């Protein structure tokens, strides 16, 4: 099913992100997690691609499992900066064989010890390439706090417009902890003519390591309210987990009340946390 058809004026979608297991773990190790997450009835589940040392081969297998075995729509991520056109075409062929209809087209991070390939420089070029195959519905990533490589927010939003013009039908945002940043970003999108649904990326922070990791990886700014809570419960793992869930629920309630198209929950493959959040906001969507 085309995920774009799921968006409705007066409804907010709730979707999940999962990642494949580390290269050293068998793919079966996540099946229990997928089954539990699918039972929570998300609108769809997105599956990351080679991010954070996970095996990208497994993206297709996991997206296929979610869609074909658990009956939940899936979106497979795909990155391009380290791939040739032929490699991308091969991966897309695999997706098609497994009945996957939706893809999240990404550039991927440029890492110093892996010089990029030259076939694709930006996600917009990958988006156009996938669109030309005619086989997939395409989503793109966006950055309420501006992508770290961009010169400024104007350049970044103009580049986002190129991605949408190339064929990105909806957008999923990078995580953020301050809703005002997302609302400002929505206004910039309107001004730039980016008029597709935008899902707000929410990550419940439920342990201390996650905070450091998230900030160093994506540069999200931490509002004082958030750091006070995290510092207050830093030495009590259970309380920190509950406070992190409460903070995410608070963000989500405000986002729903403000009419966002969707909430994309970075589940970190943690069904317990996802369930607590679904229980808290399920009736509000
Ligand atoms: P782009 O849209 O290409 O943007 C990258 C930079 O290039 C930006 O600064 C932009 O302003 C600039 N730019 C874009 N187009 C142009 C142009 N035409 N001319 C000049 N500059 C331009 N990474 C993974 O490895 N695997 C994943 O599964 C994954 N999933 C993600 C899911 C989400 C929802 C998000 C938000 C990110 C994800 N990432 C993932 C991280 C992502 O790959 C990185 O953030 C990457 O650095 C940028 O990817 P992009 O697709 O947003 O790039």
């Amino acid at each position: 099913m085309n995920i774009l058809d799921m968006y409705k004026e007066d409804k907010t979608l709730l979707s999940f992100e999962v990642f494949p297991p580390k290269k050293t773990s068998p793919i079966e190790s996540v099946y229990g997690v997928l089954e539990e997450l699918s039972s929570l009835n998300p609108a769809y589940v997105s599956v990351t691609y080679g991010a954070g040392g996970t095996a990208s081969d497994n993206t297709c297998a996991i997206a296929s499992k979610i869609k074909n075995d658990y009956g939940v729509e899936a979106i497979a991520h795909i990155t391009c900066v380290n791939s040739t056109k032929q490699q991308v075409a091969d991966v897309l062929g695999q997706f098609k064989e497994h009945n996957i209809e939706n893809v999240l087209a990404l550039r991927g991070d440029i890492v110093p010890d892996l010089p990029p390939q030259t076939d694709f420089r930006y996600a917009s070029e990958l988006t156009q390439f996938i669109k030309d195959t005619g086989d997939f519905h395409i989503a793109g990533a966006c950055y309420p706090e501006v992508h770290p490589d961009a010169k400024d927010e104007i350049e970044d939003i103009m580049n986002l417009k190129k991605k949408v013009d190339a064929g990105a039908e909806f957008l999923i945002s990078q995580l953020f902890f301050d809703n005002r940043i997302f609302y400002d970003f929505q206004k910039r999108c309107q001004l730039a003519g980016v008029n597709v649904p935008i899902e707000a990326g929410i990550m419940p922070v439920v342990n201390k390591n996650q905070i450091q990791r998230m900030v160093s990886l994506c540069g999200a700014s931490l509002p004082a309210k958030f750091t006070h809570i995290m510092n207050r419960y830093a030495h009590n793992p259970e309380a920190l987990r509950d406070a992190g869930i409460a903070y995410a629920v608070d963000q989500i309630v405000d986002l729903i009340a403000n009419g966002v198209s969707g909430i994309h929950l970075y589940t970190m493959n943690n069904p317990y946390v996802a369930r607590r959040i679904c229980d808290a906001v399920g009736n509000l969507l």
Side-chain angles (χ1 to χ4, degrees), residues 48-49 51 77 79 104 106-109 122-123 141 143 147 149-150 156 159 162-163 172 174 266:
T48 65
Y49 187 88
H77 298 200
T79 64
L104 177 59
L106 297 147
R107 183 192 73 176
D109 282 327
Y122 303 112
Y143 301 83
H147 186 272
D149 297 353
D156 206 31
N159 290 332
K162 286 182 199 159
K163 186 153 61 178
I172 304 177
Q174 182 59 283
Y266 293 101

Side-chain angles (χ1 to χ4, degrees), residues 3-271:
I3 288 170
L4 187 64
D5 293 337
M6 296 180 186
Y7 294 102
K8 302 267 177 321
E9 266 294 287
D10 54 344
K11 290 281 281 179
T12 300
L13 290 192
L14 179 63
S15 59
F16 294 164
E17 180 189 278
V18 298
F19 50 79
K22 297 269 178 224
K23 290 176 183 130
T24 45
S25 303
I27 186 165
E28 291 78 13
S29 63
V30 293
Y31 285 177
V33 165
L34 302 181
E35 193 168 0
E36 275 193 70
L37 288 173
S38 299
S39 74
L40 298 174
N41 246 339
Y44 67 87
V45 177
S46 86
V47 186
T48 65
Y49 187 88
T54 63
S56 44
D57 289 355
N58 287 341
T59 301
C60 181
I62 290 176
S64 169
K65 184 96 189 152
I66 292 165
K67 176 161 178 153
N68 302 312
D69 292 0
Y70 301 130
V72 174
E73 192 51 64
I75 177 164
H77 298 200
I78 178 169
T79 64
C80 62
V81 74
N82 292 312
S83 306
T84 61
K85 284 188 175 169
Q86 188 53 55
Q87 286 167 328
V88 166
D90 290 347
V91 173
L92 293 173
Q94 225 189 336
F95 287 170
K96 196 173 172 199
E97 250 174 56
H98 285 82
N99 193 26
I100 292 160
E101 296 168 65
N102 295 278
V103 293
L104 177 59
L106 297 147
R107 183 192 73 176
D109 282 327
I110 295 173
V111 283
D113 35 354
L114 194 59
Q117 293 281 351
T118 50
D119 282 0
F120 301 100
R121 288 167 307 160
Y122 303 112
S124 53
E125 294 173 353
L126 174 66
T127 302
Q128 189 64 58
F129 181 81
I130 300 173
K131 190 164 186 213
D132 290 344
T133 68
D135 289 331
F136 298 94
H137 307 294
I138 310 164
C142 62
Y143 301 83
E145 299 198 54
V146 180
H147 186 272
D149 297 353
K151 192 174 80 199
D152 55 39
E153 58 186 25
I154 297 177
E155 185 189 270
D156 206 31
I157 209 87
M158 297 319 285
N159 290 332
L160 183 62
K161 172 85 167 89
K162 286 182 199 159
K163 186 153 61 178
V164 170
D165 289 346
E169 296 170 70
F170 68 98
L171 300 169
I172 304 177
S173 94
Q174 182 59 283
L175 61 95
F176 58 90
F177 297 105
D178 181 346
N179 288 359
R180 282 171 309 177
I181 289 173
F182 186 77
Y183 301 139
D184 287 347
F185 171 69
Q186 283 183 311
K187 284 184 201 138
R188 291 202 297 282
C189 285
Q190 272 172 13
L191 288 172
V194 172
N195 294 320
V196 295
I198 305 173
E199 285 201 31
I202 295 295
M203 172 170 291
V205 172
V206 292
N207 63 57
K208 248 168 95 180
N209 296 343
Q210 233 183 319
I211 308 173
Q212 303 307 340
R213 209 171 119 71
M214 279 310 121
V215 175
S216 62
L217 275 182
C218 74
S221 50
L222 303 179
K225 178 180 166 187
F226 179 87
T227 46
H228 285 153
I229 294 172
M230 293 299 139
N231 291 339
R232 171 80 171 82
Y233 300 112
H235 303 293
N236 181 343
E238 246 179 40
L240 184 69
R241 181 198 65 202
D242 287 354
I245 292 172
Y247 191 92
V249 167
D250 192 37
Q251 269 193 287
I252 294 171
V253 171
D254 181 67
L255 288 161
I256 296 171
N258 278 280
V260 298
S261 302
I263 305 290
H264 193 61
L265 196 65
Y266 293 101
T267 69
M268 302 303 286
N269 291 8
N270 187 331

